[in-house]
Amino acid sequence: ERHHPRNRRRVMNPDRNRAMIGNDVVDLKDAEALPGAQHPRFDARAFAARERDWVGADASGRRRWLLWACKEAAFKVARKLDRAAVWA
């Protein structure tokens, strides 16, 4: 079975069992990416308590964006596999 415009169910091609995903690029020198520049609730909404501890132990702020990129990519894959997936 192949994807057909009238068929809403998406079927992966077994010969190319892959999906393309994209992530935003974070400029670590941008003022909005610097530690403390995010809204105070950003970390609470984006990360679990243990993740916040790990992110908070990095004065450079790079861990925040590394972890964010990983989580964003994983969520995009989950959404491709299941459109009902939610970020919770």
Side-chain angles (χ1 to χ4, degrees), residues 41-55:
R41 289 186 13 198
F42 177 82
D43 286 355
R45 292 179 61 182
F47 306 121
R50 290 183 69 189
E51 293 170 332
R52 288 193 302 273
D53 291 342
W54 185 74
V55 165

Side-chain angles (χ1 to χ4, degrees), residues 7-26:
N7 183 357
R8 291 224 182 261
R9 197 174 91 176
R10 191 172 192 170
V11 177
M12 304 250 336
N13 181 340
D15 299 327
R16 293 184 305 154
N17 203 10
R18 60 185 165 198
M20 300 298 288
I21 61 167
N23 270 30
D24 296 334
V25 173
V26 176

Side-chain angles (χ1 to χ4, degrees), residues 28-66:
L28 297 174
K29 294 180 181 178
D30 186 287
E32 292 183 19
L34 296 175
Q38 294 75 38
H39 190 282
R41 289 186 13 198
F42 177 82
D43 286 355
R45 292 179 61 182
F47 306 121
R50 290 183 69 189
E51 293 170 332
R52 288 193 302 273
D53 291 342
W54 185 74
V55 165
D58 174 36
S60 73
R62 291 179 183 212
R63 285 183 181 178
R64 172 180 288 107
W65 301 117
L66 171 67

